[in-house]
């Protein structure tokens, strides 16, 4: 079969590959502790499920408008008004099959061959591949741990060229959990104001899984002069444990939203009607689920950060939001495993954890963060505690020379 260039340019998700390896080990009867999962381990709230069932009973089972039902669009506008004080018009909103699809369509709607998209690293795995799939060129900008894994105004300025179409800002970020403060967004905005050809795609999918006192900041609210250039994306997957329902949205410039709607009309026609009813209920209904989930995530975050930082050779910073830790494992590079294999990369280190201690994590290079690995704490404290004990053992078993091991 002939496969198109755009497919050959991209890679399957590394979490899919990790999931496959976990399945193989489980089929051998091993107990694998899986810290790769990118979704809440809670069930969708009961009132959200009830709204979906009601929608089915009421016959809301037909195509909806391409850009989502009026009820869901109103729920999204309401959330954004309450959260950021911004009044989006109906023509500025589009709803799709997850934030992932909305982001993909935004890139498809705007990129031509050779157009550049600035992707700060560490990044969510999908951005560079989505850019490549749509004929663009990802311009990866390293944002080291010493900068809190965040893009600085200087690095942004240096990366912008005449071909730059977009800058992607994921805040709070996957895999780092780092979020941009209002002051940091303001500083980036000053650079962007001087480059009117550059648009900003903000991915705020983790904005409610948030641990700080002051609410998460959003570029569109921080600098209203950028309002016609910011495309804000979000969804219900992470906040309401609704990953399988596939509802995400994007708000921003009308010309972009119209182009996305045209693409959507020729691809999926519209998102699932039943899922849209559920998403509207999630956004407008009681929010105690979110508060309770964040309390649990926070406890797990604090416990896991401490356990990891207690392991000699490993370290991690405390995430502002989301449910991931990006763990620095650079000191393991060059060390030898008990079977004499040299750890040359974070991928080797992740393989060592999985093969010797059956702990599944995702290696950092997949996120543009070599020398790190990602842990998801969207799993029980028991699993996290046991996994950290096993990780500590796997680290203690490493040695600086292969000979020391052949006893
Ligand atoms: N953006 C980031 C940073 C994510 O981590 C994910 C999911 O892992 C998504 C977007 C996709 O979310 P959705 O389920 O709405 O497609």
């Amino acid at each position: 079969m002939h496969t198109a260039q755009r497919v050959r340019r991209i890679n399957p998700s590394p979490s899919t590959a990790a999931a496959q390896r976990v399945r193989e080990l489980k089929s051998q009867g091993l107990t694998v502790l899986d810290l790769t999962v990118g979704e809440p381990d809670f069930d969708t709230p009961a009132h959200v499920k009830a709204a979906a069932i009601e929608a089915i009973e009421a016959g809301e089972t037909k195509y909806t408008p391409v850009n989502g039902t009026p009820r869901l669009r109103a729920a999204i506008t309401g959330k954004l008004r309450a959260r950021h004080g911004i009044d989006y018009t109906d023509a500025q909103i589009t709803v799709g099959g997850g934030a992932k699809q909305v982001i993909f369509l935004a890139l498809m709607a705007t990129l031509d061959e050779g157009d550049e998209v600035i992707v700060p690293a560490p990044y969510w795995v999908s951005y560079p591949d989505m850019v490549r799939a749509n004929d663009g060129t990802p311009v990866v900008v390293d944002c080291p741990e010493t900068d809190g894994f965040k893009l600085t105004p200087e690095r942004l300025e240096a990366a912008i060229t005449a071909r730059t179409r977009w800058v992607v800002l994921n805040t709070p970020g996957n895999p780092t959990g780092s979020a941009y403060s209002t002051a940091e967004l303001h500083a980036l905005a000053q650079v962007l104001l001087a480059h009117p050809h550059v648009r900003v795609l903000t991915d705020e999918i983790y904005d409610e899984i948030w641990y700080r006192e002051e609410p998460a900041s959003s570029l569109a609210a921080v600098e209203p002069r950028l309002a016609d250039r910011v495309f804000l994306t979000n969804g219900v997957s992470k906040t309401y444990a609704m990953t399988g329902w596939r509802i995400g949205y994007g708000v921003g410039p009308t010309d972009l939203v119209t182009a996305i709607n045209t693409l959507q009309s020729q691809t999926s026609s519209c998102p699932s009607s039943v899922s849209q009813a559920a998403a509207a209920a999630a956004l407008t209904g009681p929010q105690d689920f979110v508060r309770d989930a964040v309390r649990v995530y926070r406890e797990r975050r604090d416990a896991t950060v401490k356990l990891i930082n207690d392991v000699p050779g490993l370290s991690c910073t405390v995430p502002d939001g989301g449910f991931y830790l990006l763990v620095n494992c650079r000191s393991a590079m060059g060390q030898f495993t008990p079977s004499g294999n040299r750890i040359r990369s974070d991928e080797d280190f992740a393989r060592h954890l999985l093969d010797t201690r059956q702990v599944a994590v995702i290696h950092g290079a997949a996120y543009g963060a070599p020398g790190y690995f990602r842990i998801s704490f969207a799993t029980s404290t028991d699993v996290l505690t046991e996994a950290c004990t096993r990780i500590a053992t796997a680290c203690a078993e490493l040695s600086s020379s292969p000979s020391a091991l052949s006893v």
Side-chain angles (χ1 to χ4, degrees), residues 315-372:
S315 63
C316 67
T317 51
V318 184
D320 302 313
F323 39 67
Y324 308 107
L325 296 184
L326 192 64
V327 182
N328 187 328
C329 60
R330 283 189 181 143
S331 71
M333 300 304 124
Q335 304 250 8
F336 291 86
T337 66
S339 51
N341 294 323
R342 189 157 204 186
I343 306 268
R344 294 178 195 280
S345 63
D346 44 284
E347 194 163 6
D348 289 348
F349 184 79
R351 195 174 305 114
H352 169 58
L353 294 184
L354 187 57
D355 291 347
T356 66
R357 296 289 148 195
Q358 289 78 53
V359 178
V361 300
I362 300 188
H363 65 285
Y367 305 94
Y372 291 81

Side-chain angles (χ1 to χ4, degrees), residues 81-102:
R81 190 181 307 116
R83 194 121 180 39
H84 302 305
I86 305 178
D87 264 316
Y88 286 98
T89 66
D90 208 39
Q92 288 182 284
I93 307 175
T94 189
V95 178
K100 195 175 213 171
Q101 190 200 30
V102 173

Side-chain angles (χ1 to χ4, degrees), residues 211-257:
Y211 309 113
R212 298 177 74 93
E213 279 291 308
E214 71 289 1
S217 298
S218 178
L219 182 65
V222 168
E223 182 44 271
R225 285 178 292 170
L226 287 178
D228 60 345
R229 289 201 267 142
V230 175
F231 187 56
L232 183 163
T233 61
N234 204 329
V236 293
S237 287
K238 315 287 177 174
T239 307
Y240 300 100
M242 292 178 70
T243 46
W245 298 77
R246 308 310 302 128
I247 295 293
Y249 57 86
V251 294
T254 315
D255 61 338
L256 172 64
V257 167

Side-chain angles (χ1 to χ4, degrees), residues 38 98-100 124 127 170 174 203 205-206 237-238 246-247:
K100 195 175 213 171
W124 178 42
Y127 302 133
N170 176 206
N174 172 7
D203 178 343
I205 195 93
Y206 296 99
S237 287
K238 315 287 177 174
R246 308 310 302 128
I247 295 293

Side-chain angles (χ1 to χ4, degrees), residues 88-175:
Y88 286 98
T89 66
D90 208 39
Q92 288 182 284
I93 307 175
T94 189
V95 178
K100 195 175 213 171
Q101 190 200 30
V102 173
I103 296 169
F104 192 93
L105 294 182
L107 296 172
M108 186 184 251
T110 50
L111 296 183
D112 284 316
E113 178 110 29
D115 284 343
E116 295 171 1
V117 178
I118 296 175
V119 180
Y123 48 70
W124 178 42
V125 281
S126 294
Y127 302 133
D129 280 325
M130 286 187 184
V131 172
R132 280 190 214 102
N134 287 301
D135 298 334
T137 304
V139 175
V140 173
V141 178
D142 272 332
C143 302
E145 190 171 353
T146 44
D147 288 341
F149 300 117
K150 288 183 267 190
L151 186 62
T152 58
E154 297 74 27
R155 288 183 206 275
L156 171 61
E157 180 73 62
I160 293 174
T161 72
R163 294 303 306 265
T164 308
R165 289 272 171 270
W166 289 102
V167 179
V168 177
L169 280 189
N170 176 206
T171 179
N174 172 7

